[in-house]
Structure formats: C-alpha cells, structure tokens
Amino acid sequence: MTQHPRISKAVIPAAGLGTRFLPATKATPKEMLPVVDKPAIQYVVEEAVAAGLDDVLMVTGRNKRPLEDHFDRNYELESALQKKGDAGRLAKVQESSDLATMHYVRQGDPKGLGHAVLCAAPHVGDEPFAVLLGDDLIDPRDPLLQRMVEVQEQRGGSVIALMEVAPEQIHLYGCAAVETTEDSDVVQVSGLVEKPDPADAPSHYAVIGRYVLDPHIFDILRRTEPGRGGEIQLTDALQQLAEDEKIGGPVHGVVFKGRRYDTGDRGDYLRAIVRLACEREDLGPDFRTWLRSYVAEEM
C-alpha cells in the first residue's frame, strides 16, 4: 500500500461566538471555559500533540486573545509560584506553553467552518493536515486522531471521523453515505449531507469534529458558495471530494466507538465535567462518594 506524506500540522477553528453559553461567554471565549481544571481548548491541543501533530494553527476572531495568552508564558505568575516553592502548580502553568508550536490567524468575518478552514491555507500549504473542533473532546484513552492519521497515510485523500447516532439525532450533524472496506473501523464515503431530515439521511453515521484533509480542499472551498445557514460549509466541499476521487483522492471515514465528550451543549458540558472528574485519580474517589450521596438524597 502506498505510504503518503507524514502529517505534522493541525488546525483548530476557534472563532465562534459561543452564544449558547451566554452570558458566561460575553467576555470569555467559550474555548476557555474550564472542564474540571483545564480549559476545553487545552484538551484539544493535547490530543493533536499526542497524535504527533506539534505544529498547531488556531483560527481565532475578536475577543479571543485569552487563547493566545493561555498558550504563552506568564513570567510573573511563574516567578510567584517559584518563590512560593509551588512546583506542582508551576509545572501545570508551564505545561500549556510547552505543548506545541502555536500559530494564530484571525478569521475576520464569521462565514462558517469551511471559511475558517480556508483561512489556514497560507500556513498549511500543499500538505495534508488535521482539523480539530473544540466542542468535541475525545478521551485520550481512545486515540481517534492517531488512527485517522494512520488511515490517511495508508490510503491518501481525506479522512473524517464518524459516529453512529440515533436516527432522531442525525439532523444535528453532517451525515455520510458509506461503503464498507476490508478494515472493520474504516468506511469509504460516497456522499455527505449537512444536517438532513431523518427521513432523508443516507445513514446513521454522523460526522464528528475531527478531520484529516487533503490540501485540495482549499481550491474547492474557494469556489464553494454559502450553503445551509448562509455559511460556507466544510461538508459541501467534502461532498465534492467524495464525488470525484481525481480531485484530491478518496474520502474515508473512521468509525469511532470510544468516549466522546460534547462540550458544545450546556447539558453535555456539565455531564463531561462530571465524567472526567469521576475518572481523575486525585478527584475521583471523593467526588464519586459525594455524587452517590447527593443522588441518593435527591432521588
């Protein structure tokens, strides 16, 4: 099987307004909302690094400066912690600034996910690259992105992450028409539709927020007209790649059956915090004891 170029760059769109979390996101980017004791965006960068992608471009917008500050050095804070002899907290503060080589570009006009990805073109060039959406936190014990990179290097083209959802939920996602391959967790994508009515959905496979993309996607995005919601949809561009392999190779999907935490919805955000806190060695035992007691009293 042909070995394709190694992927080293990750793109994280982070220009959204976070309206579902108002008023918390009036002055604080939604990506900086804490999941236990780390901002959501740090989990995403850590996932990219764990998959071997240590060159990270964040696509930001107005009022997103705290994202840059978080991944930068804070010498005053570090000095204060060092003087106090607080080595544990000092290590945690320095961890975010040492994770990866970080780059930033502003989207400017909020024209949709496809437009945000297009903003990465000058940085990415003609290399395949990964896109990670911050609303989906993937448990590090389930290396989805690593598997997607592996599939892209073996098969070329583009790779998207898919998860089977209940029929009544498919209208919340992009949906893929698929064909099986010799690998049980890999399918070939023959078509894509953004947020279809359940009756029109080609499958129960929903597109979740991880992509490994062939750079030909940029040429398609430059020609893509606004679609659903008046925005330039990445799904529409991927549909063109799926229809014609001559453009940029095939589109495959990795079917994910692991642990995913959706922080884009307030209820799921709270459930993600509870799940992750319960599984922490330092917090879990006491927190689970309290949670059992609380549930027993309330029920």
Side-chain angles (χ1 to χ4, degrees), residues 72-146:
D72 199 359
R73 299 292 297 273
N74 187 327
Y75 293 102
E76 293 83 358
L77 177 58
E78 291 177 25
S79 177
L81 292 171
Q82 199 163 28
K83 288 178 182 178
K84 290 172 64 176
D86 195 337
R89 288 190 174 89
L90 178 61
K92 289 181 179 180
V93 167
Q94 293 176 330
E95 181 183 13
S96 59
S97 57
D98 296 335
L99 270 175
T101 302
M102 302 294 298
H103 309 270
Y104 303 90
V105 63
R106 283 200 172 194
Q107 184 177 5
D109 296 329
K111 297 179 181 178
L113 177 58
H115 180 258
V117 171
L118 184 56
C119 291
H123 181 77
V124 170
D126 59 356
E127 305 174 28
F129 63 104
V131 174
L132 298 86
L133 305 189
D135 287 348
D136 284 325
L137 300 189
I138 305 298
D139 195 293
R141 293 167 294 183
D142 301 312
L144 169 62
L145 185 60
Q146 185 175 326

Side-chain angles (χ1 to χ4, degrees), residues 165-176 193-204 228:
V165 300
E168 61 271 17
Q169 296 293 313
I170 198 66
H171 71 283
L172 300 172
Y173 300 87
C175 179
V193 58
E194 181 68 17
K195 297 181 178 178
D197 290 331
D200 300 326
S203 74
H204 297 158
R228 192 179 183 95

Side-chain angles (χ1 to χ4, degrees), residues 1-56:
M1 189 174 290
T2 303
Q3 191 75 13
H4 295 270
R6 175 70 187 172
I7 300 167
S8 64
K9 295 179 179 178
V11 175
I12 302 177
L17 297 176
T19 53
R20 287 182 290 179
F21 281 85
L22 287 170
T25 51
K26 179 181 178 181
T28 302
K30 68 172 184 175
E31 296 84 5
M32 290 300 297
L33 295 179
V35 179
V36 189
D37 56 2
K38 286 191 296 190
I41 193 69
Q42 184 169 332
Y43 289 87
V44 180
V45 174
E46 288 173 348
E47 181 188 351
V49 172
L53 314 182
D54 57 3
D55 183 322
V56 178

Side-chain angles (χ1 to χ4, degrees), residues 170-214:
I170 198 66
H171 71 283
L172 300 172
Y173 300 87
C175 179
V178 303
E179 301 169 4
T180 59
T181 71
E182 64 274 16
D183 293 321
S184 60
D185 64 335
V186 179
V187 293
Q188 182 151 354
V189 177
S190 57
L192 289 154
V193 58
E194 181 68 17
K195 297 181 178 178
D197 290 331
D200 300 326
S203 74
H204 297 158
Y205 286 113
V207 181
I208 59 175
R210 297 295 181 269
Y211 309 82
V212 177
L213 302 176
D214 182 274

